[in-house]
Amino acid sequence: MGVVAKAAQIDAWAEHAAQSLAAAGYRRGGARRAILELLGGQGCALSAQDIEERLRGSERVVGRATVYRVLEELEGLALVARVEVGDGVARYEPRHPDGRHHHHHLLCDRCGKLVPFGDEELERAIGAVARRVDFDVSGHDVTLHGVCARCR
């Protein structure tokens, strides 16, 4: 994806989220906008602490309580997905309205690195299992645990 296309994707999700928050009665603000823009530009999930740390080095410093409040608002409106990968840390990633950005995760059990991955064969296998057991799957998360190349 080119730089311009990536920027448009970030802006599109951040704008969609800002409009949804405004429609739900939340006021616009610089801290909220900084969080939306940061989340929109991520390839994978971030914890509240990750968000706070990344914004600390930016023009807009945002406190952890604000980060948690905005994440709660976003989750309540289904604008972000809460990602639990079994390490006790909740992470959040944007839910794009088009649904095209679905992915799964690889988690390094040593350093905690979280890596997104997509796999069409895995998606087909999940669909096949659902059909075989006559089950309507509304969503799924796959997290593979192991050791990354750096820690190996």
Side-chain angles (χ1 to χ4, degrees):
M1 178 180 298
V3 174
V4 173
K6 178 78 171 162
Q9 176 186 330
I10 293 166
D11 292 341
W13 180 83
E15 190 55 39
H16 167 72
Q19 289 174 0
S20 297
L21 286 164
Y26 296 103
R27 58 188 173 89
R28 294 179 186 252
R32 184 173 281 112
R33 187 67 190 185
I35 293 168
L36 295 179
E37 289 174 0
L38 176 67
L39 282 172
Q42 297 308 303
C44 199
L46 295 175
S47 69
Q49 184 176 349
D50 293 335
I51 294 168
E52 179 189 21
E53 288 172 3
R54 290 185 187 190
L55 290 175
R56 189 175 299 136
S58 71
E59 296 174 12
R60 181 68 192 199
V61 177
V62 179
R64 190 167 302 170
T66 300
V67 172
Y68 277 111
R69 186 178 65 250
V70 171
L71 289 172
E72 185 176 291
E73 295 164 0
L74 293 169
E75 187 178 14
L77 295 172
L79 294 167
V80 295
R82 182 183 177 109
V83 177
E84 303 271 354
V85 294
D87 64 353
V89 177
R91 294 174 178 86
Y92 302 84
E93 57 192 12
R95 278 192 168 158
H96 294 270
D98 61 13
R100 293 181 320 174
H101 302 283
H102 174 74
H103 62 261
H104 300 289
H105 302 97
L106 302 167
L107 177 66
C108 179
D109 291 326
R110 291 193 186 156
C111 71
K113 180 178 181 180
L114 191 64
V115 178
F117 76 94
D119 188 303
E120 287 302 317
E121 247 182 87
L122 176 59
E123 297 302 323
R124 284 192 296 275
I126 291 169
V129 168
R131 285 187 299 280
R132 188 173 64 239
V133 298
D134 193 23
F135 189 82
D136 291 331
V137 174
S138 60
H140 63 275
D141 293 309
V142 174
T143 302
L144 302 177
H145 292 258
V147 181
C148 71
R150 190 181 69 182
C151 292
R152 195 171 328 125

